[in-house]
Amino acid sequence: MTQRRSFLKKISAATFGIGNLAALRPVFGYSVNRQAKKPVVVSTWRHGLAANEGAWQILSAGGSALDAVEAGVKVTEAEDNLSVGYGGLPDRDGRVTLDACIMDEKGECGAVACLEEIMHPVSVARLVMEKTPHVMLVGEGAQQFALDQGFEKQNLLTEKAEKAWKEWLVEAEYKPIINIENHDTIGMLALDEAGNLSGACTTSGLAYKMHGRVGDSPIIGAGLYVDNEVGAATATGMGEAIIKICGAHLIVELMRQGYTPQEACEVAIKRISKQKNAKDIQIGFLALGKNGEVGSYALHKGFDYAMYAGDKNTMTDVGSFYR
């Protein structure tokens, strides 16, 4: 009889855990959820405004979220702003290496890492998804694939970026600066009129990194994850910290369990806050639910995101764990 009562208690506890997720999940109250009617596109940082414009041209015409996110982040990849893609700050050897990934509503995905001399890594990533049996190509292999697909080599190191690199070489001190070096990434999520989600993430990586370093941006489940039944998430900031918790996947799985996009982002940031260098790095998460609900949260102040919905393209400052 005693064993039977113990067994029933365990069953009851398990049932409570499954059926009362809403009561159990933490609510930090730092930010307010935003909800928009489809279509909607969101992207990280202020350069997301121009990227959203590119995506909106497709979404507003009834186009797919997949086409929209590719077109959107390509805007940022082509800008000469010491950031993503062309003109991005190089690694410590003076080489511009690019990482990108893309994921569609079917769960298909593609990525490239440590890609050199190719203007639009996100488009190469899409071709990896659509034309190969693989998910990720890296380095020389990624470049050769791009050339085989008709891309042309281009010098991505601008005079401005080269000048900054040479100035850095004087002391060669590697010390990422919160809310400065994180701007080398753009993550974008879109929900189209058909109700389908897609996402893309592209970066030139941390300035003056070791050659061959790859962060979270091209890694499915870390810098980007899409589940068309639930929602999507993307990340920006110190990639090593994001990889350690599989950030984007964690957020989407929390959403599947009943957390709102906002709550899921807050839980992920709280988890990163336990890492030993949390006070010295910046992390920002951005999530989009299947119903158009948006959530975002950061480790430190200074992160923002752009949102285009209802013919308005606006910026939002994001709440943070450390105030």
Side-chain angles (χ1 to χ4, degrees):
M1 182 63 72
T2 301
Q3 289 180 336
R4 181 174 182 273
R5 281 198 298 266
S6 176
F7 174 76
L8 289 174
K9 285 181 180 180
K10 290 179 180 180
I11 292 296
S12 177
T15 303
F16 176 84
I18 295 171
N20 292 274
L21 285 169
L24 291 173
R25 61 180 188 254
V27 179
F28 303 109
Y30 295 147
S31 304
V32 177
N33 289 289
R34 299 178 66 189
Q35 188 164 346
K37 294 181 180 179
K38 57 189 179 186
V40 56
V41 58
V42 292
S43 54
T44 57
W45 302 112
R46 185 160 292 275
H47 52 213
L49 285 172
N52 282 0
E53 293 283 352
W56 193 253
Q57 292 181 21
I58 293 173
L59 290 174
S60 62
S64 73
L66 180 64
D67 289 340
V69 295
E70 180 187 10
V73 299
K74 283 176 68 175
V75 172
T76 311
E77 287 181 338
E79 291 177 344
D80 179 9
N81 55 10
L82 297 179
S83 185
V84 178
Y86 177 72
L89 291 170
D91 62 24
R92 61 183 57 189
D93 296 334
R95 299 164 69 171
V96 178
T97 62
L98 308 179
D99 310 320
C101 71
I102 195 166
M103 192 168 187
D104 69 12
E105 76 280 3
K106 299 176 183 177
E108 298 297 324
C109 50
V112 291
C114 208
L115 175 65
E116 297 185 64
E117 299 180 297
I118 301 295
M119 172 68 87
H120 290 299
V122 71
S123 295
V124 183
R126 181 168 178 175
L127 290 176
V128 171
M129 175 179 74
E130 295 178 341
K131 294 194 173 184
T132 81
H134 308 306
V135 168
M136 179 181 285
L137 296 178
V138 304
E140 293 181 5
Q143 185 189 74
Q144 186 57 56
F145 173 74
L147 296 175
D148 291 344
Q149 297 302 314
F151 290 81
E152 297 181 356
K153 285 187 178 182
Q154 180 175 344
N155 179 19
L156 302 178
L157 182 63
T158 61
E159 290 184 8
K160 183 167 57 175
E162 185 176 22
K163 180 176 181 292
W165 169 62
K166 288 181 177 179
E167 291 174 352
W168 174 82
L169 281 176
V170 175
E171 295 186 2
E173 180 184 11
Y174 183 68
K175 187 177 181 181
I177 303 172
I178 289 174
N179 294 325
I180 300 297
E181 291 195 358
N182 304 293
H183 288 66
D184 52 29
T185 300
I186 181 168
M188 176 178 283
L189 311 171
L191 177 67
D192 59 31
E193 285 188 356
N196 290 319
L197 290 157
S198 289
C201 190
T202 181
T203 185
S204 55
L206 290 173
Y208 319 129
K209 62 195 175 185
M210 294 178 64
H211 182 66
R213 179 266 185 187
V214 175
D216 66 296
S217 296
I219 298 177
I220 299 299
L224 177 73
Y225 197 72
V226 177
D227 185 326
N228 207 45
E229 294 181 353
V230 180
T234 189
T236 183
M238 186 61 71
E240 285 78 1
I242 297 165
I243 291 170
K244 289 174 183 177
I245 68 161
C246 300
H249 183 267
L250 170 64
I251 290 169
V252 173
E253 282 305 298
L254 287 170
M255 291 162 63
R256 178 180 291 280
Q257 294 175 29
Y259 288 66
T260 67
Q262 183 62 42
E263 292 166 345
C265 288
E266 292 179 10
V267 170
I269 287 293
K270 187 175 182 181
R271 189 167 296 185
I272 284 181
S273 73
K274 298 176 182 178
Q275 296 183 18
K276 63 181 180 180
N277 62 339
K279 291 186 177 180
D280 301 320
I281 62 173
Q282 173 66 308
I283 303 293
F285 287 122
L286 180 59
L288 176 62
K290 180 73 171 178
N291 62 353
E293 188 175 3
V294 180
S296 188
Y297 202 56
L299 196 56
H300 294 272
K301 291 180 180 179
F303 177 50
D304 50 19
Y305 70 88
M307 174 177 172
Y308 207 140
D311 296 324
K312 292 183 179 180
N313 195 11
T314 59
M315 290 297 304
T316 297
D317 291 327
V318 173
S320 61
F321 181 84
Y322 293 112
R323 302 191 187 186

